[in-house]
Each structure stands twice: as C-alpha cells, then as structure tokens.
Amino acid sequence: MNGQAEGLERGRQATAVSRAPYSPRPGATSGPDCPSVTPADAAAGSPRLTIDLGAVKRNYLRIAAHVRPSMAGAVVKADAYGMGAEPVTRALWEARCRSFFVAHLSEALTLRALGLDGAQFYVLNGLSPGMETACAAAGIIPVLNSLEQAVRWREATATLPERPACALQIDSGMARLGLDSTDLLHLVGDARFFNDLDIRLVLSQLACADMPLSDANSSQLGRFEAVASCLPDSLRSLANSAACFLDPRFRFDLVRPGLALFGVAPMPEASGFVEPIVTLDAPVLQLRTVSRGAGVGYGLTYQTSAPKRLAVVGLGYADGWRRCLSNRGAGYFDGVRLPIAGRISMDSTTLDVTALPEGALRPGDFLEMIGPHQSLEVVAADAGAIPNEILTGFGKRLLKRYRDAT
Ligand SMILES: *Cc1c(COP(=O)(O)O)cnc(C)c1O
C-alpha cells in the first residue's frame, strides 16, 4: 500500500468510528443537517409526464355521443393505461361515466375506496379462489370467465341475503378469457344455476376489431348474439375502442373503450376523433461539443461524421423510454427535430442538437419527447411497439402532472 492509499484507509477507519450510526428523526425535513427541500423542488430536474384530464373527459364524451343510444363505460386497468387510475377515474366519473373496468380485484378495491357515487367496478380477469366474499362485500362485480369461477361464485354467495351482481364473459372466438361452448352447455342445462346468479352483464372481446375488413368480426358477432340469446336477460357488451368505430351492431348496450380515452385512435378510420392527453418532456442535463469521429454512449454505436453539439437529457429506459429507440427516435425543441445519438442508457439519452442555433439550448431546458411535434404513435412506431405498451410502460419516477385536475 503506498502512502496515499494508507492515508485514505486510515481516514476511512477514523470516519467509521467517529460517526454515530445514521438515525433520522421521524418527520425531520429541515435543520442544519437537512435543508428544507420540497418534493416539487427536488423533482425540478425530473422528466415530466403531463396528463390532460380535460382531454380525457372530452374523449369520453365524444365516444359516448358517437355510440348513443348505447352506453359508454371506461377501461381503467393497469393504472388507467399508466395515466393514474385515481385521477383518471375521478375525471371520467365527473363526465358521468359510471361503469369502470379493471383487470384485478386490487385495482377495483382501490378505486371503490374513492367513494364515487353510483360507480360500478368490473374485474375483467375474474376472481382467484377465495376472493369471492371480499369481492361481494365490497360491491365489486366480478367477470366470471370459466365454469369453475361461476360455480365458486354461486357457492360463496348462496347464503347472502341478496344476490350480488356478477358478469359473465363468453369466449366468442379469440381463445382468451371467457366460458367456452362446453362450459356454456353445462350452465344452460341447469336452470337453477341462473336463478342463483344475478348476471348484470354478458360480455366478450373481439380479436380483430382494429381490422374492419376481417371476417373474424362478423363471425364473433354472430357467436356472441347466439350465445347471449340463451342466457338470462342482461346487459350485453362487445366493443373495445376500435369496435366503437365498426358497424353499430357491435355496440350492444355498453361499450368498453380504453385506448381511445387516452387519445390514441384505435384504427385509421378514427384518427382525429380523439385528442392526445399526454406529453413527455425531458430535462437537458449537459451540453457538449464533440469533434468529428467521436463515439457516443455505451458501445460507441454512434460515431460523429462531423463536429456536433450534443445534449444529454435525463430520460432513460428505466423511465420507459425504450432502449430500442437507440439511434432511431428523436426529441424536439422549438419544433426542431433532434435525432437520438447512440444507445439509450438507464437514466439518460443523448441527442444530436446541431440543428439548433448555438446557445439556443441550456441545461435545465426541457426537450419534447412526446407532444405536439412527436405523437405517442410515432414514438411507438420508432420503438416497434404499440401505443398501449408505451403508455403502460412509463417508469414510476417520472413526475406526473395533471391539467384540469380536480
Ligand atoms: C383492455 C380491454 C378493453 C379495452 O380495450 P381498448 O382496445 O384499449 O379499447 C376492453 N375490453 C376488455 C375485455 C379488455 O381487456
């Protein structure tokens, strides 16, 4: 060990013995050792997701008007497609939406606790064994997807003074969730079964709703109608966002849009019908000028062909900015396209900002990554993904800001 390293080693030991173990006082946010920093101040350098709840409401109202006289519910599963289930559900409720669909019971329990008068919550993925009583007690409507689930629900609710509402999903031809024809024959063969269930809604899902010319749509429609006519009278629902733009026969009593509420046209025929709700901005952390032949980022996969000005922004794949956007996508500043240079890192992305006038960009400025100049759809296409994947993949540490929040 040389003298310097020895000194360092001694210093470390000395520090170790002289310092008291770290024990923050509960709730301490200020004091000489702990300068006061509000969470908002600390987040100033974070990438920001801005969510326009007014636009969510307008999209809902447009769809509701378009499908009338059918009713419109809303799918708010997966934290409302990553946009925040609680604020989004509240906003939709203010727009008079009353039927909400989530995937998990836990999601429904959280939203039920908001106390929104008249709101109904459906659990699309069904119930795992043993959850029936909790679901019924919370007034949440399970979507029964198999004969076993239906049998368990019937048994668990048999002794209750009132039969709690449930929904029944039919597999009309996509081989995903729902009762198949064998299950259905079983049910229909037992008349008492239906007496014991309060089936509020019968639903199914289309495999090819975003392909208006596909024969699968009319074949699923035919099967859904045939099966539903053998079941007790209840509301019927077949349409996701895309199916709201097919022939009106697909709409039945209640439509279940998700994606369209969040501003994505589910098929070209619907483009311009809904408005975007989300923008993503990333802060410039550092600017640098490099000479010709410089390598950028991990693997040095980008080599400059001329002197360049580069900006490093604080947005990486941990934030849901996909690594496959390396050397592909772009950001924008003042309407100028700034191509991504090199690989996306976990916490940062480097862009070629040479197209901007020198001095136009400073550390702390924000680049538009999704917004008026670059739509969510374009980013998804650059990433080889669909817009739903980008929305639901945003990382937890993005700062979410709501417009028109109530
Ligand atoms: C997710 C989902 C929807 C909503 O689909 P979008 O394409 O986002 O409109 C509707 N119904 C079911 C059963 C779903 O799982």
Side-chain angles (χ1 to χ4, degrees), residues 75 77 81 124 169 176 203 205 240-241 256-259 388:
V75 180
K77 62 193 180 188
Y81 291 47
L124 290 167
Q169 178 157 216
R176 198 173 67 169
L203 69 148
Q205 176 84 329
N240 61 359
S241 296
R256 309 185 306 267
L259 196 54
N388 325 21

Side-chain angles (χ1 to χ4, degrees), residues 154 187 190-197:
R154 180 200 197 188
L187 277 189
D190 179 357
R192 280 173 313 152
F193 208 104
F194 291 130
N195 281 334
D196 293 346
L197 297 185

Side-chain angles (χ1 to χ4, degrees), residues 354-393:
T354 317
L356 290 173
E358 196 161 359
L361 198 60
R362 300 219 191 93
D365 287 341
F366 279 82
L367 298 193
E368 171 195 329
M369 307 306 283
I370 295 176
H373 299 93
Q374 175 158 272
S375 68
L376 170 63
E377 284 89 334
V378 163
V379 170
D382 283 344
I386 56 172
N388 325 21
E389 273 181 280
I390 302 293
L391 285 177
T392 55

